[in-house]
Amino acid sequence: KAGVTQTPRYLIKTRGQQVTLSCSPISGHRSVSWYQQTPGQGLQFLFEYFSETQRNKGNFPGRFSGRQFSNSRSEMNVSTLELGDSALYLCASSLGDLRETQYFGPGTRLLVL
Amino acid sequence: DQQVKQNSPSLSVQEGRISILNCDYTNSMFDYFLWYKKYPAEGPTFLISISSIKDKNEDGRFTVFLNKSAKHLSLHIVPSQPGDSAVYFCAASAREGNKLVFGAGTILRVKS
């Protein structure tokens, strides 16, 4: 089975721009979660989608949004980028319950200049 | 508000010895705990988990201990191997909310 894939792997943007990141989950997985990883902060939960619906949301501003398509692929969008948005963005998929093993993609490293 | 804390940013251990990674949590609603391992340029991979109804779970060289009264869990790796060198994240979840809360991670270096 193919693992979780994320595109692009690296991205450089400037302040004020917007960015869209993509995540393809493992086939059959219906839950996709997004995390932001920064040094010293660990993985901060952004949101989780299940069957095209946002089921859970972390404490991030509204500039961070996402969606999930009928094939379970998910996109994450960040508008009006700030320097502090520079981070590794990880997505993870699972069958449906976050208590089941989550399988992570390699991440998208975003640098905001 | 760091609900899950890994107070040691890094740990260095000699090959063959025991590695002990610690994690503290503050939310008493957490009832399921996990450890993930992350190598550079890769996503985290699941290592081991424990439910609050247990105080110990073992899988090969890896054992997780849970002390609910102290809101503390630890991961023991015995014996440590150079391939164990990675960042280890502790995570917790509560039945309500269905989301994982991660700690900041501990970098483990196993010296040969």
Side-chain angles (χ1 to χ4, degrees):
Chain A
K1 235 184 204 180
V4 178
T5 57
Q6 290 187 247
T7 55
R9 292 293 309 276
Y10 303 93
L11 208 47
I12 299 176
K13 291 284 187 179
T14 55
R15 275 182 302 173
Q17 286 187 309
Q18 69 144 19
V19 68
T20 299
L21 313 181
S22 180
C23 172
S24 293
I26 290 173
S27 177
H29 285 190
R30 296 167 66 189
S31 169
V32 174
S33 298
W34 287 90
Y35 296 86
Q36 180 195 66
Q37 185 190 357
T38 53
Q41 291 293 314
L43 278 71
Q44 304 284 312
F45 175 76
L46 281 151
F47 28 66
E48 184 232 355
Y49 285 86
F50 181 81
S51 292
E52 302 178 65
T53 301
Q54 186 181 88
R55 190 163 64 170
N56 244 304
K57 191 176 187 309
N59 298 323
F60 278 80
R63 299 185 297 108
F64 292 82
S65 63
R67 59 178 175 167
Q68 187 179 34
F69 301 94
S70 58
N71 62 357
S72 293
R73 189 176 71 84
S74 177
E75 286 182 348
M76 189 192 100
N77 185 274
V78 188
S79 62
T80 320
L81 284 166
E82 301 176 0
L83 296 179
D85 296 333
S86 295
L88 180 67
Y89 290 88
L90 292 157
C91 85
S93 75
S94 71
L95 287 169
D97 189 327
L98 286 183
R99 286 161 182 256
E100 295 163 2
T101 301
Q102 287 197 72
Y103 295 86
F104 282 83
T108 294
R109 185 161 295 282
L110 172 65
L111 177 62
V112 182
L113 301 175
Chain B
D1 175 26
Q2 291 256 328
Q3 296 186 67
V4 176
K5 296 179 185 177
Q6 294 177 256
N7 291 319
S8 298
S10 65
L11 175 67
S12 189
V13 170
Q14 198 67 35
E15 181 180 6
R17 307 294 291 268
I18 184 172
S19 296
I20 300 177
L21 296 100
N22 294 303
C23 179
D24 296 295
Y25 61 96
T26 57
N27 189 339
S28 57
M29 300 301 291
F30 287 150
D31 64 350
Y32 189 66
F33 306 89
L34 310 92
W35 285 92
Y36 278 81
K37 179 170 75 172
K38 185 181 185 299
Y39 293 118
E42 295 181 13
T45 54
F46 170 76
L47 198 54
I48 192 169
S49 64
I50 188 167
S51 163
S52 61
I53 62 173
K54 292 185 173 183
D55 53 20
K56 176 183 172 182
N57 189 25
E58 200 169 343
D59 183 1
R61 297 186 296 114
F62 302 91
T63 303
V64 57
F65 295 92
L66 175 62
N67 182 333
K68 289 185 288 292
S69 60
K71 294 191 176 70
H72 176 84
L73 64 155
S74 60
L75 174 68
H76 292 212
I77 306 174
V78 184
S80 301
Q81 299 173 353
D84 296 329
S85 298
V87 180
Y88 289 79
F89 291 99
C90 165
S93 75
R95 185 149 295 281
E96 216 171 286
N98 199 43
K99 64 180 180 183
L100 285 181
V101 180
F102 282 82
T106 296
I107 301 170
L108 173 66
R109 295 187 188 91
V110 180
K111 300 174 288 188
S112 54

